[in-house]
Amino acid sequence: RSLRMLVVFLAVAVAAKVSALPSSAELVARAKDGPSLLLTELQVRDLRKRIKTDPKTAEWWEGVRGEAHSYLKEEVRIPDRGAQWGHYYVCKTCGAGLVADSPTAHRCRKCGKVYSGWPWDEVYVNRFHERLKESVYKCGLVYAVDGDLPCAERVKAIMLGYAAQYPRYPLINNNGAWKEGMGKRGFSRAHSQALDEAVWLCRLLPGYDLAKDVFTDAERTLVEKNFLRLAVDIFRNDNFG
């Protein structure tokens, strides 16, 4: 009986949560009014006040700001291909993790064996996609709160860079590139599976949302058409619910 009650309770809770989710029309309306994915304009103003009045929030913010500014020192270089599955990055002989001596030399931490080529070189590429993602997220946030224009310009450079490069990435999965005649379920572009692509975008998109007012209409259209809508197509092909 208690198990039945628990199931009913969970079902009601889930139904209530789903019914409370905004409609697509509401989401579009929110986006027209300003940032809406991570913070709204009202929440940004509230965060500014907390930074000024709460020492712990101020300390946290100094860390965020410092990290964002560290990214400004780096050249924006968009990888020329998608990344492979991180679980490949282990030694076939002893199972220990690999360490990169170069983009094409990956050494076992334990036995010293060196690997090169696919998939290890492609796994190495992931660190660049991830760092660019964090750069967009942190720089977008710092721009929204501090009005830091160099941070916004970095967000713009990265997103426009992906708009140019993302359509060129072949569809891939953990076994390699998509080929004619294959179904497209399970394939992705910047990563080797849709799950990783989704997790990556969940950090990248809020940063873009917070800084998109520095993009021209033409630039926003380019980013959304050549990058974001192509990413949406991945999830349409890979609808695991």
Side-chain angles (χ1 to χ4, degrees):
R1 183 179 178 182
S2 59
L3 178 59
R4 189 183 303 116
M5 291 179 65
L6 177 61
V7 170
V8 171
F9 172 78
L10 290 175
V12 171
V14 169
K17 186 174 182 179
V18 169
S19 65
L21 292 175
S23 67
S24 58
E26 288 175 312
L27 291 174
V28 170
R30 289 182 190 179
K32 290 180 179 178
D33 292 335
S36 60
L37 295 181
L38 180 66
L39 297 170
T40 64
E41 289 285 1
L42 181 62
Q43 290 169 325
V44 168
R45 290 196 293 270
D46 182 61
L47 178 55
R48 289 190 190 116
K49 291 177 182 177
R50 291 183 61 186
I51 290 168
K52 291 179 180 179
T53 58
D54 179 59
K56 288 187 177 180
T57 304
E59 182 181 2
W60 164 78
W61 185 245
E62 281 302 312
V64 173
R65 181 188 286 137
E67 187 175 351
H69 287 172
S70 72
Y71 291 129
L72 299 182
K73 302 173 185 177
E74 301 175 4
E75 181 183 358
V76 173
R77 298 180 64 183
I78 308 298
D80 62 359
R81 61 193 187 276
Q84 255 304 329
W85 197 35
H87 291 288
Y88 282 134
Y89 215 62
V90 294
C91 179
K92 289 185 175 182
T93 302
C94 60
L98 305 182
V99 59
D101 291 329
S102 78
T104 58
H106 316 279
R107 175 174 41 84
C108 176
R109 298 173 185 270
K110 186 175 181 181
C111 71
K113 185 175 180 178
V114 176
Y115 295 84
S116 186
W118 191 95
W120 305 284
D121 293 357
E122 281 67 25
V123 175
Y124 178 82
V125 169
N126 185 57
R127 66 184 61 193
F128 300 104
H129 285 300
E130 291 299 301
R131 191 156 182 83
L132 289 167
K133 170 205 72 179
E134 284 301 306
S135 180
V136 169
Y137 182 82
K138 295 288 173 56
C139 286
L141 186 55
V142 169
Y143 166 68
V145 175
D146 288 352
D148 192 316
L149 192 56
C151 281
E153 292 297 331
R154 183 170 181 85
V155 173
K156 180 189 282 195
I158 293 171
M159 295 302 292
L160 290 176
Y162 272 116
Q165 198 67 266
Y166 196 78
R168 300 175 186 172
Y169 294 158
L171 289 170
I172 56 174
N173 67 7
N174 293 345
N175 297 314
W178 178 84
K179 296 179 181 178
E180 196 66 39
M182 291 180 171
K184 293 185 178 180
R185 188 174 189 182
F187 286 83
S188 194
R189 290 184 185 270
H191 299 81
S192 62
Q193 53 187 13
L195 171 63
D196 294 336
E197 200 91 345
V199 172
W200 179 66
L201 288 166
C202 280
R203 291 283 281 186
L204 190 148
L205 289 182
Y208 166 65
D209 183 53
L210 288 166
K212 67 183 179 183
D213 65 341
V214 302
F215 290 69
T216 65
D217 289 342
E219 288 167 340
R220 280 195 293 271
T221 298
L222 188 66
V223 168
E224 291 162 14
K225 178 182 177 183
N226 288 8
F227 180 15
L228 304 185
R229 291 188 182 276
L230 288 181
V232 169
D233 287 341
I234 288 171
F235 307 125
R236 285 175 176 162
N237 293 328
D238 199 343
N239 183 16
F240 285 107

